[in-house]
Amino acid sequence: MVWLQLATVLLFIFIGARLGGIGIGYAGGAGVIVLALLGMQTSMEYIPVEVILIIMSVIATIASMQRAGGLDYLVYLSEKMLRKHPQYITFAAPMVTYFMTLLAGTGHTAFSTLPVIAEVAKEQGIRPSKPLSIAVVASQVAITASPISAAVVAFAAMLQPFGVSYLQLLSIAIPSTLFAVLVGAAVANLLGKPLLEDEVYQQRLKEGLIKQREQTNYIPTSEAKFSVYAFAVSIILVVSYAILLSGVIENPTIGRSEAIMAIMLTNAGIIALKCKINLNEVTQMSTFRSGMSACICVLGVAWLGSTFVNGHIDDIKALSGTLLASYPWMLALILFFASMLLYSQGATTAALMPAALSMGIEPSAAIASFAAVSALFVLPTYPTLLAAIEMDDTGSTRLGKYVFDHPFLLPGITTLVISVTIAFVIAGFVI
């Protein structure tokens, strides 16, 4: 019966992966029903309600900022920076997508900067696949370092009972991922022949398929600027309150998670009032749609995984607890392959991290392995990866004959390996 139940979990995860997007959540809910029919007990306690509510609150603010023009303003600032030192585009591009994701808590902000990255690289005669590949990877790994991302919020809540604070998690995740992205950029810079020697580029050039993107005369509005500044202040407030909870405030009247939700909702309201935005249009924003989709994904897959794990926790500990305790780095491999299928850092974290911690994995090892939930670049089907290919009209960012021979793979694997390695070192000092 145990193996049948495990097969059920894997089957519905596979179905969800095939459906893609919100389908992961749908399949998770269906899987819970089948597990219940197979005799497994489930409960509302297995649903990460707190995480879902925080995602909703953060997305409410980001969508309000987008409607006020804040994301356009961030793209404008990014383009100015990229064009200031275009010769360093392979290193500057991932920094832009990394910090945009770090601040916004979602990697979908990369969509708006990918056309700029491709164009600046093309203008400099640099193979666009170099900056585009590592820019996509940076936007994914930055999720595990963002103070307001679903994955970080979920993981921080799991670590709290073990005496590991939100700030300790960030103090390990941010420097390790940031340095790893720079190493990944160095690797990306070495890959592929020069653009002028690329046969596909030469052929597309002859056929007149390569266009020059016109620079827009975008003028940021006061509303756009205000929304970005207000959002930045809300993040500062969230982090500052977390610092105060680490020792200054002993008996808080509002906890960290509750504070995040309250601050974000308040900030969304302030943006709406000051910028006079139509609230009916906020729900039509791309960030709102992707955020609500993430809530359904986390709900379904986390509920499915938690139902199985909690029903067989003693067996799981007996089978793999000793192995992971002896070789904690193997957790990174498990997270790596799981995120390839789940296509979500938040869903992978919610599904697997509670099991890992319950099996006796040291919190420091779990944090060090955390970046491995960002292996969304391995299969060439993730939206930002496909967008990068589509936006590069030189043809340099292309898929090979086989599934895995694409320009995102080596920079991505390098980034994750370096991040996990550095995090193990830092965690030894921080925790």
Side-chain angles (χ1 to χ4, degrees):
M1 184 60 72
V2 173
W3 291 109
L4 179 59
Q5 291 164 348
L6 175 60
T8 299
V9 172
L10 296 177
L11 172 63
F12 280 96
I13 287 176
F14 175 76
I15 292 172
R18 290 296 301 270
L19 288 174
I22 202 171
I24 296 174
Y26 295 164
V32 170
I33 293 176
V34 176
L35 287 181
L37 292 174
L38 292 174
M40 295 207 71
Q41 292 288 329
T42 189
S43 168
M44 277 290 293
E45 295 177 359
Y46 300 161
I47 301 174
V49 176
E50 180 180 315
V51 175
I52 293 171
L53 293 176
I54 290 177
I55 296 173
M56 293 172 64
S57 304
V58 172
I59 288 300
T61 297
I62 294 174
S64 294
M65 180 177 70
Q66 182 180 13
R67 179 59 189 85
L71 287 186
D72 292 332
Y73 180 50
L74 287 175
V75 173
Y76 165 74
L77 295 176
S78 301
E79 182 168 2
K80 282 183 64 177
M81 194 198 85
L82 291 172
R83 292 191 181 280
K84 191 172 183 180
H85 301 288
Q87 67 273 28
Y88 303 120
I89 184 69
T90 305
F91 293 91
M95 290 296 98
V96 167
T97 56
Y98 179 93
F99 281 105
M100 285 185 71
T101 299
L102 190 81
L103 293 174
T106 171
H108 292 295
T109 54
F111 281 115
S112 54
T113 59
L114 293 177
V116 179
I117 294 169
E119 194 62 30
V120 172
K122 190 166 58 177
E123 290 171 1
Q124 293 296 309
I126 296 172
R127 188 181 181 87
S129 63
K130 296 182 178 184
L132 284 173
S133 61
I134 188 60
V136 168
V137 170
S139 71
Q140 294 177 358
V141 76
I143 288 290
T144 61
S146 171
I148 55 174
S149 73
V152 168
V153 168
F155 194 28
M158 298 171 200
L159 291 169
Q160 204 165 19
F162 295 89
V164 178
S165 71
Y166 174 72
L167 293 178
Q168 286 176 308
L169 170 59
L170 293 178
S171 68
I172 297 169
I174 292 176
S176 60
T177 53
L178 182 58
F179 181 79
V181 165
L182 291 173
V183 177
V187 171
N189 203 39
L190 299 174
L191 299 177
K193 61 179 67 176
L195 183 61
L196 295 178
E197 298 177 12
D198 189 286
E199 298 83 357
V200 174
Y201 170 72
Q202 292 295 340
Q203 183 63 33
R204 293 179 68 84
L205 197 61
K206 289 178 183 179
E207 295 174 0
L209 298 175
I210 298 175
K211 308 295 182 182
Q212 292 295 324
R213 174 178 173 270
E214 295 183 5
Q215 295 189 38
T216 59
N217 295 319
Y218 171 77
I219 300 176
T221 63
S222 58
E223 291 81 6
K225 292 181 178 180
F226 176 84
S227 68
V228 171
Y229 299 151
F231 185 66
V233 169
S234 69
I235 295 175
I236 292 172
L237 288 175
V238 166
V239 176
S240 299
Y241 189 68
I243 293 173
L244 293 175
L245 290 182
S246 298
V248 179
I249 302 177
E250 294 185 358
N251 297 304
T253 54
I254 182 170
R256 179 181 54 80
S257 296
E258 292 83 354
I260 293 175
M261 289 184 276
I263 290 170
M264 288 297 165
L265 290 174
T266 301
N267 186 57
I270 291 172
I271 292 174
L273 288 171
K274 177 67 171 65
C275 302
K276 296 181 175 63
I277 61 177
N278 185 341
L279 294 181
N280 290 326
E281 295 177 356
V282 171
T283 57
Q284 305 304 313
M285 297 293 102
S286 60
T287 51
F288 187 89
R289 293 196 300 270
S290 64
M292 294 307 112
S293 176
C295 288
I296 299 299
C297 291
V298 170
L299 166 61
V301 76
W303 194 6
L304 175 65
S306 297
T307 297
F308 177 80
V309 168
N310 283 279
H312 299 289
I313 189 64
D314 293 332
D315 296 328
I316 293 172
K317 286 180 178 179
L319 285 171
S320 55
T322 303
L323 182 63
L324 286 175
S326 301
Y327 306 100
W329 54 268
M330 291 189 69
L331 175 60
L333 290 178
I334 295 171
L335 296 173
F336 180 92
F337 288 110
S339 63
M340 283 172 51
L341 297 175
L342 295 177
Y343 273 173
S344 167
Q345 294 94 333
T348 304
T349 303
L352 297 181
M353 280 301 194
L357 291 168
S358 67
M359 286 187 291
I361 291 289
E362 289 293 328
S364 58
I367 294 172
S369 303
F370 186 36
V373 302
S374 301
L376 285 61
F377 57 83
V378 177
L379 296 177
T381 52
Y382 195 72
T384 48
L385 186 150
L386 294 174
I389 295 173
E390 184 66 26
M391 293 172 186
D392 179 11
D393 62 4
T394 69
S396 71
T397 311
R398 57 182 181 266
L399 304 179
K401 296 181 181 179
Y402 310 102
V403 175
F404 299 104
D405 55 339
H406 54 75
F408 305 86
L409 188 63
L410 285 179
I413 290 177
T414 299
T415 299
L416 294 191
V417 169
I418 296 298
S419 180
V420 169
T421 302
I422 294 176
F424 264 104
V425 175
I426 298 177
F429 293 97
V430 174
I431 299 177

